[in-house]
Amino acid sequence: MKAMLKSWSVLIVAMLMALSLIACGNAEDAAPNSAPSETPAQQEKPAEQPAEEQGALKTQYPLTVKDATGTEVTFEKAPTRIVSLAPSETEKLFALGLDEEIVGVSDLDDYPEAAKSKPKMGGFQVNEEAVIAAEADVVFSASMNAENAEKLRGMGVKLFVNDPSTIEEVMSSITLVGQITDRQEEAKTVVEQMQQELASVTEAVKSVKEEDKKKVYVEFSPGWTVGKGEFMDEMITLAGGVNAAGDTEGWFEISEENIIAANPDVILYSSNVVDEATKKTLDQMIKERDGWDQIEAIKNDRVIAMDDNLLSRPGPRVTQGLIEVAKAVYPELMTP
């Protein structure tokens, strides 16, 4: 059955297909999920940061840092006009208290609530005229290929691309954005909270023996799942599970017979996906497939809805998404 997805499932399809949020070229050119050549932790050593009398961390300018495309970007001072071209970057900026400095966001942004009222800079394809007109001191993006990045830079846009592929890299990117924007103290607070949330999961599931680990199948768009080397695969592993599709890499269209054979203990699905024609939710589509009633997860009613924005956006809420995954897989271990 070919599902017509509601507006938010479009974002998930884009992620599954590994397209850049602003890619203008072919998908194979975008490579949004490839890890940057240097993670923020491996980038150029920043200048020494003098502490103020109160002990607060302050950025010393000029500051030169390297982004995920390998481009060095120099900041003469803290940016006061900021544009974001990706929901994950927008969430980072708001988490750092930069509401007043944000002068543009992507059409896809829906969190926090204040993001909805910001000027829009385009969705899957950037509105280049709007970006230029915003006269931003810096434009943050995620998963943008080098060709499209250079196109914007050729228009005089100061662009900084983040592309974290693990939770640790997400935290490093938040630290880096905090350094660029002179919000290091705020970034430190955000990262410490994320570290606590990550630790709460790993501590809770550390007693699960290898032979007792639950097999987890993920479906965020009808007929598509995730294998090794992707963000969601790492979350399943950190939550103490085993990816039922872990013998394949990347996002891919499933073989229904293979999933039946894998026999997952838990199925996670997107709560945002609804078939426009039939009004069926994704869990209904999954349960109605031939032979799937023999899968343990379905027999034991372990088909669980997830907020895909918590899981698909490499921003400050990703560790909250990890907690939700762990609760779905091991509810008995994730009690308050």
Side-chain angles (χ1 to χ4, degrees), residues 31-40 42-43 66-70 161-166 169:
N33 292 306
S34 59
S37 57
E38 292 180 287
T39 65
Q42 297 171 322
Q43 292 165 358
K66 188 177 292 185
D67 78 349
T69 67
V161 180
N162 281 305
D163 191 16
S165 58
T166 67
E169 288 181 8

Side-chain angles (χ1 to χ4, degrees), residues 35-169:
S37 57
E38 292 180 287
T39 65
Q42 297 171 322
Q43 292 165 358
E44 293 184 7
K45 183 178 179 180
E48 292 295 323
Q49 304 302 320
E52 291 190 332
E53 293 182 4
Q54 298 85 354
L57 292 170
K58 299 293 291 180
T59 300
Q60 183 177 354
Y61 299 97
L63 171 72
T64 299
V65 286
K66 188 177 292 185
D67 78 349
T69 67
T71 301
E72 289 188 346
V73 184
T74 298
F75 298 88
E76 300 296 334
K77 61 180 181 178
T80 58
R81 294 180 63 82
I82 302 173
V83 163
S84 168
L85 299 180
S88 59
E89 299 308 296
T90 299
E91 291 198 21
K92 291 175 190 175
L93 295 168
F94 273 100
L96 298 179
L98 291 160
D99 187 337
E100 294 185 2
E101 286 78 7
I102 299 171
V103 295
V105 299
S106 84
D107 295 355
L108 307 173
D109 287 24
D110 63 347
Y111 187 91
E113 187 67 26
K116 296 179 181 179
S117 61
K118 293 291 184 179
K120 299 301 183 288
M121 302 288 114
F124 298 123
Q125 183 155 338
V126 171
N127 183 335
E128 295 165 353
E129 291 78 10
V131 172
I132 294 170
E135 298 182 334
D137 298 318
V138 61
V139 174
F140 287 104
S141 184
S143 302
M144 182 186 294
N145 65 51
E147 181 181 353
N148 292 328
E150 286 309 308
K151 181 179 179 182
L152 278 177
R153 289 180 176 128
M155 298 176 179
V157 174
K158 179 174 280 192
L159 178 70
F160 194 90
V161 180
N162 281 305
D163 191 16
S165 58
T166 67
I167 289 178
E168 288 293 339
E169 288 181 8

Side-chain angles (χ1 to χ4, degrees), residues 317-328:
R317 294 191 297 160
V318 72
T319 44
Q320 296 174 31
L322 175 62
I323 289 173
E324 294 307 308
V325 172
K327 285 180 178 179

Side-chain angles (χ1 to χ4, degrees), residues 282-299:
L282 185 51
D283 61 319
Q284 291 174 312
M285 301 180 217
I286 290 171
K287 292 175 180 177
E288 290 176 358
R289 290 173 184 157
D290 290 341
W292 282 47
D293 57 350
Q294 297 304 307
I295 293 176
E296 288 296 316
I298 294 177
K299 289 196 294 185

Side-chain angles (χ1 to χ4, degrees), residues 212-262:
D212 295 331
K213 289 185 176 181
K214 302 290 186 183
K215 198 175 294 184
V216 182
Y217 169 71
V218 178
E219 187 167 329
F220 281 136
S221 184
W224 285 81
T225 193
V226 63
K228 289 182 179 179
E230 300 296 339
F231 203 78
M232 190 65 224
D233 179 70
E234 183 202 27
M235 296 182 77
I236 293 171
T237 301
L238 289 171
V242 176
N243 187 356
D247 57 348
T248 305
E249 294 187 359
W251 288 94
F252 60 94
E253 199 163 8
I254 64 170
S255 160
E256 294 188 9
E257 292 77 12
N258 287 348
I259 303 304
I260 294 172

Side-chain angles (χ1 to χ4, degrees), residues 1-6 9 13 219 221-223 273-278 280-282 285 289:
M1 172 177 58
K2 185 176 180 181
M4 297 178 61
L5 311 182
K6 285 189 173 179
S9 65
V13 173
E219 187 167 329
S221 184
V273 177
V274 178
D275 184 276
E276 289 283 1
T278 66
K280 289 180 180 179
T281 56
L282 185 51
M285 301 180 217
R289 290 173 184 157

Side-chain angles (χ1 to χ4, degrees), residues 164-185:
S165 58
T166 67
I167 289 178
E168 288 293 339
E169 288 181 8
V170 171
M171 292 189 284
S172 294
S173 74
I174 291 170
T175 298
L176 183 58
V177 172
Q179 184 184 11
I180 290 169
T181 59
D182 198 17
R183 296 298 174 99
Q184 294 195 61
E185 287 291 332

